[in-house]
Amino acid sequence: MSVTQPELLPELPSLSKLYLNAAGMAAKNRLLGSDRGPGLPEYSAQVNHVVAGLPRLTAYQHLLGNTARDVMPAGFVHTLAFPVAMQVMVREDFPLPLLGMIHLRNRVESFTPIHYSQPLTIRSWARDLAGHRAGTQVDLVVEVRADSGDDVLWRGVSSYLAKGVYLPGVDRPAPASMPEDFNAPEPTALWRLGVDTGRQYAAVSGDFNPIHLSALSAKALGMRRSIAHGMFLASRALAEVRSPEPDAFEWSVSFDAPVYLPASVAVRIVDDRDADGGWHGSGYLGWNRSTGRRHFSGRVAPLSEGP
Amino acid sequence: MAPSASSPSSATPSSVTPSSAVPSDTDDRTASATSAPAGPAAPRDAVIIGGNRIPFARSGGAYTKASNLDMLTAALDGLVARFGLQNERIGEVAAGAVLKHSRDFNLTREAVLGSALSAETPAYDVQQACATGLETVLGLANKIKLGQIESAIAGGVDTASDAPIAVSEGLRSALLDLGRAKTTMQKLTILSRLRPKDLAPNAPGTGEPRTGLSMGEHQALTTAQWNISRAAQDELALASHQNLAAAYDRGFFDDLVTPYRGLVRDANLRPDTSLEKLAKLKPVFGRSLEAEATMTAGNSTPLTDGAATVLLGSEAWARQHDLPILAAVIDGEAAAVDFVHGKDGLLMAPVFAVPRLLARHNLTLADLDFVEIHEAFAGTVLSTLAAWEDEEFGKERLGLDGAFGSIDRSRLNVNGSSLAAGHPFAATGGRIVASLAKMLHEKGSVQGRPARGLISVCAAGGQGVVAILEAR
Amino acid sequence: MGVPSEDAYTRFVSAGFGRDLAKRLGLPQPAVLRRYSPHQPLLTGPVLVLGFSQQADAVASALLDWDLDVRRHATPKEKLGAMVLVLDDLSHPSDLAGPVLAAGASLRDLAASGRVVTVARDAAEASDPAAAAARAGVEGMLRSLAKELRAGATGNGIILHGEVDPSSASALGALRFLLSARSAFVDGQFLSVSIPEAVLPEDWERPLAGRVAVVTGAARGIGASIARTLHRDGARVIVVDVPAAGEQLARVANELSGTALQVDITAENAGDRILEHAGQRYGRLDIVVHNAGITRDKLLANMDPVRWNSVIAVNIAAQLRMNEAFLTSELFTDRPRIVSVASTSGIAGNRGQTNYATSKAGVIGLVGATARLLEPRGGTINAVAPGFIETDMTARMPFATREVARRLNSLQQGGRPEDVAETVAFLASGGAAGITGRTVRVCGQNLVGK
C-alpha cells in the first residue's frame, strides 16, 4: 500500500516557516504562473511522537477561559495538529493558494479525553475539492491517534475557501439563494475582544497568519483591520458551553462575517436539555450588535457512537 | 474573650432544616418554616465527612503554570468524585488564597463553576493568611451548627509559582491617571512622570508589611529567644519526613489525595533524608543575630503550590447522603500577638489561643490524643512547646499557676506535617483538618470517650487559629 | 484511554479509494460492525426461526413479544436480520440436514452484521451416542459457519444444560444478547445455560437499574469502558484504581456520577475497603467486575521473581482474596454477580506470557470453582476472555505483530473496549442468570485456542 503511505515528517513543521514558504510560492506563482494541477494530490502528511508542551497548554487553557485540567481541550488539539494540515496545503501540487484562504467551517469529533502526556500521531490530508459560488473550497482532514495506536482520538475537518480561484474541471455551483435574514436574538454574553486578541491567540496556537496579527499586516493581505482567528472564537464558545468538556462530543462551527479587532461580539448559547435536565447539546451564535451581521454559529453535542 | 457562637454553652436557635437537604413534609416551605417549634434547641454537630487535596508541589515544579483557580478546581473535582457529589447543590463553599491575583476576586465561586458541582452552589472567599484554610472550616462549621446550611466545602489554595506581580506604586498611579486623561497632551504629561525604577515590578514576598522582616527572620528571633537548638529542629524535620513517608506507604493518603499534573505524592517529601544530610545544610535565616544561626532550608518549609478541600455537613445531611462521618468540629479560637515591637514572636499567637480554647472545654494538653501543630518552621513548633513548658511564661503571660503543660511527642504530627508535605499557605488548614479527622475516626474512642485532636496554625500578621476536633 | 474507533485499516478499506485498492490487491476487507447504542432496534431485519420442535414455536412467539418481525419460513430475497436454529430435539445427526440446509439457503439474504444463533442441548448429557453425535455436530457446524459469514455477521450458539428449555427465561436472555449488537465482537462462541430461572429486565434499555457495581482498574481502557457501559445500563458505579491513577479515576467517576475509590487491590484489606465504601454509600453491592490487570512479559528463561510475582498478585491472588470478602458479606446477597476479565492468552497461551497466561488461566479456573459458592445466593460468576482489543496496551505492540494479531479472527479486525464491556454488562444482568462458572470469549472468533 505504498501509494497511500503518508509522508512521515520528522517533527511538527514550523508554522512561521510554512507561512513564509506560502508567501514565497504566491510571489513565484504571480511571476511564473502556477503549475498546480486541477485535482488534489494523493498526499498525506504524518508526524509521530507529538507531545504537547505543558506551558503552552496551560497558557491556551487560560486564554480561552478553560481551567487548566490535565486533559487537552479539543481546540488545543486543533492548534497542535494545525501545522500538519498546513504542510499539506503549502505543497507545490496543492491546487489552491494558501494565503488568503478563508475558513468556512470546522467540525471536530473528540472521541475521548486526551491526557497532555500522551504522545500523539497526527495525520492530515485534503479531500473534497469543490466549487463554491465565490471560488473553490477544500476540506482538510486531521486525525489524531495515540502514538502507534490505531484508534482515532480526535478528528477535525476544516473547510477552506480560496476566494476567486476557479479550477478547470471543478464545477461551479449556481449561486445559492440569498442567505435568510439574520434576526439577532437576545445575547447571553458579550465578549470584548481587544486589539491584541489575534496576537494572544497566535502565541498559544502558533498560528501567526498575518491577517490576525496587526492592522498593518492584515492590510497587506487586503483586510481593512486585523481579524480574530475563527478557531479562537469557536474555542472560546466551546469553553463557555461546557467546562469540563464532555468525554466524547462533536463541535462544529460555521464562520460568517469576520470579527475585526477590537470588537465586541454578542453571543448567545442555548442548551438543549430534556425534562430530566440531561444535556443533548448546545447551540451557539455570535454576531455584531451594531451591524446585525452574524460572525459565527455552531453546536456542541455529545457523541454516543464511535466514528 | 467572648465565647464563640458555636461554643457548647451558648444556645443556638433551632433551625428548620433547609429545604435543599431535607424534603419537608409540606409543600409550602414558608408555612413549614413559620410553624417550626419556638424556642431554643440544642445546637447540632458539624461533622467532617472527608477531604481531598492535590499533592503539594515545590514552587517552580509540577504546577508552575497552574493558577490558583486551576488547582482549587482540581481539588474540588477530586472531592466530588470521591463522594459522588456530581451536580450536587452544596450549602456553601468557602476557600481562599493568600497570594491572589486581582482577577481572582471571586476565586472560590469561579472554581465551583468550573467544577463538577452544581452551578447553583454559592461560594465566598476568605483570607486570613496561613490560617485561611482552618478559618474556612470553622466559619462553615458554625453555619452548619446554626442550621443556616446543611453541607459545605472548605478549602484553600496557593501558588508561589504563579504569584501575582504588582506594578510599582509610581506606574500604578500613572496608569490610573492615564485612564482618566482625556487629551493626548494630558497623556503625554502623565507618561513623562514615569522613571525607569517605576517599571520594576514588585514581587510578592512573605515579608511583614510593618517590620519589613521576612517570616523566617521573624522566626529566627523567636527561635533564638527560646534557645531552640539546631539539632532539635533537624530532628523534628526528620520526623516529619519519616512520618509522612510512612503514612503514604501504608496508604493513609489513598482517600485524601488525588494526583494532578503527573504528581502523585508531595514533591517536597524526602523519605531518604537523615540527620546527617540535614546537618550539612547551611543556615538561611538569623545569620545576622548574635546567637548561632540554626534555621536551614531543611527545617523550614519551602514555597509550595497546592490546594486542599474538606467536606462538611450536618449529621443528618451526611446520613441522608450515605456519607461517612469522620469527626466533629467542636470549637475554634483565634488569637493575635503584638509582634511589631517584639513583645511576642510573629508566629506565637497559637501559644495564647490554645490555652483559652482548652480552658473553655475544661481540657488540658494531656487530654488530647493527637496534636497537629503546623510546621511553618521547626523552630515555630519547638518555640511553641517551649513556651508552654515554661513556668514563668505560664504565670506571666498565660495567667496560669505554672507552666501550661507539655505534649507527648508521640501524639504530635504523627503523619508528618508541613516540613515534609510543604505549605501552600491557604491549603494547609484543609490538609490538616482532613488528615486529623481521618486519624480520629480510625482511633475511635479512648477510655470511653471519643478521640480528641487539636489543630494549631500560626499565620502572618501575628495571628493564630486553633481548633478541636473529636472522633465520630 | 478507551477509544471507540475502527482501526485505520478498516476505515481505509471501507471507503472509496481504499476499498478499490484493497479489492485489487486481494486484501481482507473487514466490515464495520454494528454496535449497540440505546434505542436502536434489536435487529436490522426479520428473524427466521428454524426448527420443528414445540420449543421452536415457543421461541418464535417469545421473539414476537420483543416486537421482532418473525418468519418461520424464508421469504426469497428478503434481507434477514438473524436466523435462530432451535435444535433442542435432535436424536440423530441426520436430523441436522433439514434446519441447517434451510439456513444455508437463506445465508445470502443475511444482512450486514446479521446473526445466526443455534440453540441445542449439551452433548455430554445425551442419553445415547446418536443424540450426542448430533448435539456435538451442532458445534462443529456453527464454528465453521461463523467463519463463512461476511459483512460483520456472526454465528454463535447456546448450549442448554439439564432441564433448561430454549424458551426458558434464561435461554431467552442469552439469545437476546447474541442477537443484539451488544455481541458485535462475540463470534463462533457458545453460551452454556444451566439454570432455567431468570428475572429478565423490565426495561431492556436499563437492565442494571437499581444495581450497584464496582469495577477495578477503571481509570482507563477496558475498565473505564466497562464502568461507562454499566452506568449506561442503569447501574450506580464505584470505580476503583490505584492511587497513582486517581486523577483519571476522578474524571471517570465524575463523568458517570459515580464514586471514586483509590485502593491498591493487592492490599490485604482491599475487599473490605470496597465493601465498606459500598455499604456506606449505597447500602449494597450487586456486581463486582475484576478488571484490573497487568502484563510483565518475558520469556520464562529470562523471567525474574518480581515480574512473575507481581502479575500473579494483581491478576489472580487479589481476586481470590477479594472474593472471600465479598462472598461472606451481607451486602453481596441479592442475586450477586462477579465478572472477571480473563484473556485468550489464558486459553491458548502466548509466547513471553507464561506469568500472564498463568494468571488468566487461573481466573478461568477460579470462576469455575466459585460458581457453586455463589449458587446459594442466587448469584453467578463468569469470566470474559478478550481477544485482540484495541487499547493502550496493544498500541504498544510492534506494528507487524499487531497487524497480524488483529486480522487473525473471523471478523478480520481488533475489537474495541466496549465489546468487552458489553459482554461484561450482559453477564452482570438478569438476562444472564442461567450462565455461571463459564468463560465467554470476546475475540471475533480468534484462530487461537478453541
Side-chain angles (χ1 to χ4, degrees), chain A residues 12 50-53 56 72 75-84 120 122 205:
Chain A
L12 276 182
V50 177
V51 180
R56 202 183 105 190
M72 295 190 278
F76 182 74
V77 180
H78 174 88
T79 69
L80 202 59
F82 186 61
V84 188
L120 300 170
I122 300 172
S205 68

Side-chain angles (χ1 to χ4, degrees), chain A residues 34-142:
Chain A
S34 168
D35 56 355
R36 298 172 193 275
L40 285 174
E42 266 170 26
Y43 172 81
S44 63
Q46 177 170 323
V47 186
N48 298 338
H49 318 307
V50 177
V51 180
L54 197 51
R56 202 183 105 190
L57 167 64
T58 311
Y60 175 94
Q61 287 167 323
H62 288 160
L63 180 68
L64 273 301
N66 290 295
T67 301
R69 290 188 161 79
D70 287 1
V71 167
M72 295 190 278
F76 182 74
V77 180
H78 174 88
T79 69
L80 202 59
F82 186 61
V84 188
M86 279 278 286
Q87 172 69 27
V88 175
M89 292 191 282
V90 297
R91 282 167 51 94
E92 293 251 1
D93 56 1
F94 188 74
L96 300 172
L98 172 72
L99 285 191
M101 280 224 282
I102 294 167
H103 200 167
L104 293 176
R105 287 179 306 278
N106 206 81
R107 178 165 191 270
V108 165
E109 295 161 288
S110 181
F111 298 105
T112 190
I114 310 178
H115 197 266
Y116 72 85
S117 61
Q118 170 75 55
L120 300 170
T121 292
I122 300 172
R123 187 188 297 182
S124 179
W125 65 95
R127 70 170 190 207
D128 296 343
L129 191 67
H132 182 276
R133 61 194 154 75
T136 304
Q137 65 173 25
V138 68
D139 283 354
L140 267 287
V141 184
V142 174

Side-chain angles (χ1 to χ4, degrees), chain B residues 77-78 80-87 116 251 253-262 264 321-325 441, chain C residues 243-251 253-264 273 276-277 279-283:
Chain B
D77 274 347
V80 169
R82 181 158 302 135
F83 295 105
L85 304 174
Q86 299 86 2
N87 289 316
F253 292 110
D254 283 2
D255 54 3
L256 292 171
V257 176
T258 303
Y260 180 58
R261 285 296 204 237
V264 174
H321 288 73
D322 297 317
L323 291 163
I325 295 177
H441 183 67
Chain C
E247 181 194 36
Q248 282 140 302
L249 191 68
R251 229 198 109 78
N254 284 346
E255 179 202 337
L256 306 180
S257 296
T259 50
L261 178 64
Q262 299 182 164
V263 59
D264 181 348
R273 286 200 46 202
E276 190 191 330
H277 182 98
Q280 169 85 59
R281 298 309 319 281
Y282 305 99

Side-chain angles (χ1 to χ4, degrees), chain A residues 196-253:
Chain A
D196 59 345
T197 302
R199 290 189 291 276
Q200 286 181 348
Y201 184 74
V204 298
S205 68
D207 181 359
F208 287 91
N209 187 331
I211 58 172
H212 303 301
L213 298 185
S214 68
L216 207 63
S217 57
K219 270 179 192 150
L221 287 160
M223 296 280 174
R224 55 188 158 91
R225 290 205 306 276
S226 68
I227 61 171
H229 291 79
M231 288 310 287
F232 166 80
L233 302 168
S235 302
R236 178 147 173 201
L238 172 62
E240 296 197 6
V241 166
R242 290 295 272 186
S243 179
E245 289 173 6
D247 264 31
F249 66 101
E250 60 180 316
W251 162 45
S252 59
V253 63

Side-chain angles (χ1 to χ4, degrees), chain B residues 307-381:
Chain B
T309 54
V310 179
L311 179 61
L312 303 163
S314 68
E315 271 188 83
W317 187 84
R319 291 194 201 291
Q320 249 157 19
H321 288 73
D322 297 317
L323 291 163
I325 295 177
L326 302 181
V329 180
I330 300 299
D331 200 0
E333 174 83 17
V337 294
D338 178 4
F339 68 97
V340 180
H341 303 126
K343 184 178 174 193
D344 284 299
L346 176 73
L347 302 179
M348 294 296 272
V351 172
F352 299 91
V354 169
R356 292 186 333 220
L357 178 64
L358 293 189
R360 187 151 74 225
H361 293 268
N362 293 320
L363 297 173
T364 67
L365 287 176
D367 297 320
L368 302 168
D369 306 299
F370 294 109
V371 177
E372 288 288 323
I373 302 181
H374 158 52
E375 298 167 340
F377 302 90
T380 314
V381 179

